[in-house]
Structures are given as structure tokens and as C-alpha cells.
């Protein structure tokens, strides 16, 4: 049985729950000692109050305040679960489980880090930025309205923004921005999170540049703790050169971008 399955659900008090962009909310949760276990790229499972929605909703940890015991999450309102979360108010409680999954591997040597995020994949990169040392550049892509920019400016040296419609920053994609600023030094590591097509394009480009890249994948989840094998993706085994199924919720969500089998559905 996986370690996560032994974790206990806990009640967290909602400190803040407010809209920060169209259909995007930030929620601060008082989680106590659990905050000290969080590593960048990990997520928590949030449980709805409605009994019609039994499955937990996985949401990445966006930022931690380890002194105050607070976790910030940022979520898009997509379906019934996240719609329910958006109605919660400060002072209420919510059941959560976490931190879950395997996050970003941070190199001990302070070098050059490039963080590449797209849309609702941007949030976990804030906590990563807070934990990284050395020079940090951030490349963010949004459809139209950006969010979390001030948080990145707190922790990093340079933030570049692209929007699909050009309403903010450069009109285009994060890959366009990366190509404009390339080449990067050999001590650069790329960390990425966002929609699968973006991750694929950035990972293939990083491979061409000879740069290591870690990507955070998203799959629909059920148990969220490694028990149901409902969230698998295909990962290349470096020794045998054959692919194997890995669980996004337990073995990931962060994987070596050079090992992900991109062209497959799962
Ligand atoms: C590791 C991980 C981290 C995530 N982090 C964030 C984040 O920081 N911010 C954010 O806005 N979204 C994040 N998501 C996506 C988020 O979990 C879904 O948007 C959310 O579960 C949708 O729930 P819903 O009830 O609104 O939608 P519904 O479609 O009603 O959900 C139905 C079921 O499908 C599952 N589901 C639906 N979409 C997804 C999805 N994309 N990924 C996994 N399960 C899904 C739900 O858990 C639920 O069981 C993350 C997903 C994963 C896997
Ligand atoms: S969601 Fe059950 S194993 Fe990943």
C-alpha cells in the first residue's frame, strides 16, 4: 500500500477564497503542521461537501507560508466540484488530504532555472520559485488574462508573459518567447507545468537544446493516492528503452520530460 493511502484526511480552515481572474480563484487554507511536508509540484485532494461528488479534486499547492501553516491553491472553475469550492467563504472548513505525489527534483547546485507555465498549470511554479536558488527566469502563457504575476516577481529575476490574443505581454506562445531568448547556458534546468500540447512542444524543444526538463502532467484522477491505476501515463524506461505505465498521482505528477511518451493518448 502506498504511503499516501495512510495519510489521513484533515479539516482545513479557509482563510481566504477570492476571484483573481475570470473563472479563477485563489484559496488560502490553514493546514497546520502539514505545510512543512509540502514539496514544490505536489498537490492536495479537496473533498466536496455534496455527497453527489464523492471523488476528490486534485489541486496543486501554489504557495506555502511555512511559518503561518498556510497553503495557497489557485483553481479554475470548470465543473461541479470547483464551482462548489468557489462558493465557500472565509471561516468555513474543507476536507483535504495531502501533500500527495512526487514533485520537482530541485538541484542542490544553484544554477539557472527556467520555469515555463501555461494557464491553470502556472500555480505550482510559484512554490517552486520560492524554493529555488540561483537565477530564475519565468515564462508564462495565458489565453488572455494573466494571474499570479506579482507572486512570481517576488521570487524571481525576470517574468516573460505571452497571451494568445496579445492582450498582455507578447502575442503568441511561451515557446515563441523561449526561442527569442535562446540559447541558454548549459547549467540551465527547465521546469514546466501546463496543458499537454504545451508541455510536449517545450519538452521536445528542450531536448533539441540539450537542456534537462521536468514536466508536471495532468490526468483525470479517481482515488488520487496510487491505489486505482486510473491516472496512468506512458514513460520510457531508460534501461530497456521500452515504455511502462506510471501513475500520475503517485509516481508523478512530475516526470523527466525526456522520458514522457508524448504521442500516445495516455
Ligand atoms: C496533479 C493535478 C494537479 C492539478 N492542479 C490544478 C490546479 O492547481 N489548479 C486547477 O485549476 N486545476 C488543477 N488540476 C485540475 C483539477 O483537478 C480539475 O480541474 C478538477 O478536478 C475539475 O473538477 P470539477 O468537479 O470542477 O470538474 P468535473 O469535470 O465535474 O470533475 C469530474 C471528475 O473528474 C476529475 N477531473 C476532472 N478534470 C480533471 C483534470 N484535469 N485532472 C484530473 N482530474 C480531473 C475530478 O477529480 C472529478 O473526479 C489538477 C489536476 C491534477 C491531476
Ligand atoms: S488516481 Fe488512482 S492511482 Fe492515480
Amino acid at each position: 500500500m502506498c504511503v499516501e493511502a495512510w495519510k489521513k484526511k484533515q479539516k482545513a480552515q479557509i482563510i481566504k477564497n477570492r476571484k483573481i481572474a475570470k473563472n479563477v480563484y485563489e484559496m488560502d487554507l490553514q493546514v497546520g503542521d502539514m505545510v512543512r511536508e509540502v514539496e514544490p509540484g505536489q498537490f492536495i485532494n479537496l473533498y466536496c461537501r455534496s455527497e453527489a461528488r464523492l471523488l476528490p479534486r486534485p489541486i496543486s499547492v501554489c504557495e506555502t507560508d511555512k511559518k503561518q501553516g498556510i497553503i495557497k491553491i489557485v483553481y479554475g472553475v470548470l465543473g461541479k466540484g470547483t464551482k462548489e469550492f468557489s462558493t465557500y467563504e472565509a471561516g468555513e472548513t474543507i476536507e483535504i488530504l495531502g501533500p500527495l505525489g512526487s514533485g520537482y527534483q530541485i538541484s542542490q547546485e544553484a544554477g539557472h532555472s527556467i520555469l515555463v507555465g501555461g494557464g491553470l498549470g502556472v500555480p505550482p511554479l510559484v512554490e517552486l520559485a520560492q524554493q529555488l536558488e540561483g537565477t530564475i527566469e519565468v515564462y508564462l502563457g495565458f489565453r488572455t488574462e494573466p494571474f499570479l504575476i506579482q507572486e512570481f516577481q517576488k521570487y524571481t529575476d525576470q517574468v516573460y508573459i505571452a497571451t494568445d490574443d496579445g492582450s498582455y505581454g507578447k502575442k503568441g506562445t511561451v515557446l515563441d518567447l523561449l526561442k527569442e531568448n535562446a540559447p541558454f547556458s548549459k547549467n540551465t534546468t527547465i521546469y514546466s507545468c501546463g496543458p499537454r500540447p504545451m508541455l510536449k512542444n517545450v519538452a521536445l524543444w528542450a531536448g533539441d537544446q540539450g537542456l534537462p526538463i521536468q514536466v508536471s502532467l495532468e490526468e483525470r484522477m479517481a482515488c488520487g493516492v496510487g491505489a486505482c491505476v486510473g491516472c496512468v501515463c506512458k514513460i520510457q524506461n531508460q534501461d530497456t528503452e521500452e515504455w511502462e505505465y506510471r501513475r500520475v498521482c503517485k509516481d508523478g505528477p512530475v516526470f523527466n520530460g525526456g522520458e514522457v511518451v508524448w504521442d500516445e493518448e495516455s
Side-chain angles (χ1 to χ4, degrees):
M1 178 86 46
C2 61
V3 175
E4 276 83 355
W6 294 106
K7 289 191 176 187
K8 282 197 181 140
K9 277 196 233 171
Q10 69 176 82
K11 275 205 167 101
Q13 188 174 37
I14 298 166
I15 308 289
K16 177 167 79 179
N17 189 27
R18 69 177 186 110
K19 194 173 181 178
I20 56 169
K22 191 176 176 207
N23 290 329
V24 181
Y25 286 71
E26 70 171 3
M27 186 188 281
D28 285 1
L29 296 168
Q30 177 60 251
V31 299
D33 290 344
M34 187 262 259
V35 75
R36 287 200 282 273
E37 296 170 38
V38 174
E39 289 168 10
Q42 287 191 300
F43 64 96
I44 56 174
N45 271 342
L46 284 89
Y47 293 82
C48 297
R49 288 180 198 145
S50 165
E51 287 178 5
R53 294 184 275 283
L54 286 179
L55 289 175
R57 270 56 177 171
I59 302 287
S60 306
V61 174
C62 171
E63 191 179 17
T64 61
D65 179 337
K66 299 225 155 111
K67 279 197 190 129
Q68 302 293 327
I70 292 173
I71 280 179
K72 181 194 295 300
I73 56 169
V74 168
Y75 61 96
V77 175
L78 298 183
K80 290 183 178 165
T82 47
K83 171 110 185 115
E84 184 187 312
F85 299 150
S86 71
T87 66
Y88 294 177
E89 294 191 359
E92 296 179 0
T93 57
I94 181 170
E95 278 199 316
I96 62 167
L97 178 73
L100 301 172
S102 173
Y104 293 102
Q105 304 280 316
I106 294 183
S107 158
Q108 294 307 319
E109 294 157 28
H112 181 209
S113 301
I114 293 183
L115 279 48
V116 185
L120 291 166
V122 164
L125 299 177
V126 173
E127 179 63 11
L128 179 65
Q130 181 174 202
Q131 302 300 332
L132 281 168
E133 291 176 11
T135 314
I136 309 171
E137 281 178 57
V138 185
Y139 293 77
L140 304 176
F142 299 93
R143 286 222 175 97
T144 171
E145 194 182 358
F147 49 88
L148 292 172
I149 306 306
Q150 284 176 353
E151 282 77 357
F152 283 106
Q153 285 167 341
K154 253 192 311 188
Y155 300 126
T156 67
D157 300 284
Q158 186 79 48
V159 182
Y160 299 94
I161 298 167
T163 48
D164 290 351
D165 60 5
S167 58
Y168 198 100
K170 184 186 170 65
K171 185 175 192 306
T173 67
V174 282
L175 189 55
D176 297 334
L177 285 173
L178 284 165
K179 285 179 177 169
E180 271 178 20
N181 290 350
F184 298 102
S185 58
K186 287 294 166 205
N187 70 343
T188 301
T189 301
I190 301 181
Y191 303 88
S192 192
C193 186
R196 195 173 170 98
M198 182 206 92
L199 292 179
K200 176 182 173 181
N201 289 335
V202 174
L204 294 178
W205 174 82
D208 289 344
Q209 301 287 309
L211 298 175
I213 176 165
Q214 298 176 33
V215 296
S216 180
L217 298 181
E218 195 182 304
E219 287 293 336
R220 289 183 81 87
M221 289 185 181
C223 73
V225 293
C228 74
V229 202
C231 63
V232 290
C233 62
K234 286 180 177 174
I235 300 293
Q236 196 89 37
N237 182 316
Q238 292 287 294
D239 299 326
T240 64
E241 293 196 6
E242 290 183 358
W243 61 262
E244 54 195 35
Y245 282 121
R246 305 286 291 277
R247 296 160 299 181
V248 170
C249 70
K250 177 72 170 43
D251 307 311
V254 178
F255 294 93
N256 177 339
E259 296 177 0
V260 176
V261 180
W262 292 107
D263 286 322
E264 303 291 336
E265 279 298 300
S266 52

